[in-house]
Amino acid sequence: TLAVYANTLNNQFTNWDDTNLIVNNELIRSLDFKNIKAIFDFRAQGTYQPVRVLSYAIDYHFGKLNPSGYHIHSILLHAFASVFLYLFLSHIIPLIRGMEKTGDNTAKYAAFFIALVFAVHPLSVEAVAWLSGRKYVLLSFFSFFSLYLFAKSFKAETGQFCLISGSVFLAVLAALSSPFGVIF
């Protein structure tokens, strides 16, 4: 993932949505409690995606308006989303009828291949390379992380409540990242 998207590190902000969502957005200028509360305050106009705005505020805190930091953040989120997809599939594929006969390695290879395709597939380029597409990277990160915790809870002998609670919390973060998260 890092090798595929490294060429985006020198990209600048686009003059489409990046100007309004990042460059001219006063809400991302501070991480104090009052500003974070303002980020999560529901407003009727536009779509409600406070986690995306908060992620931009974190980027601004560390690098101001240097687009490289924003791109690094998006690449790392996508890379970790791919890892959580692999972990989720490693837990769930062996539960498919007939897969128990193939052995553990077959499920891990299948999970690895699927996660690898997700990590480098050209359909992900817009979400990773275009900073305004951060909502989709956040959506996949929180969704796959949530699914992984949920799948892990089935095999856990202790801590099931914590795993399921974490899964629900991450699903809520997915919904607050992108409107598509509501479907998740």
Side-chain angles (χ1 to χ4, degrees), residues 5 34 43 46 49-50 52 77 92 104 111 114 122 126 139 156 162 164 169 178:
Y5 293 105
K34 181 180 176 185
R43 291 175 199 74
Q49 300 170 35
R52 175 174 71 169
L77 284 168
I92 207 77
D104 198 34
I114 293 166
E126 184 177 339
L139 172 67
C162 291
I164 291 173
F169 177 71
S178 168

Side-chain angles (χ1 to χ4, degrees), residues 60 79 90 143:
Y60 185 85
S90 293
S143 297

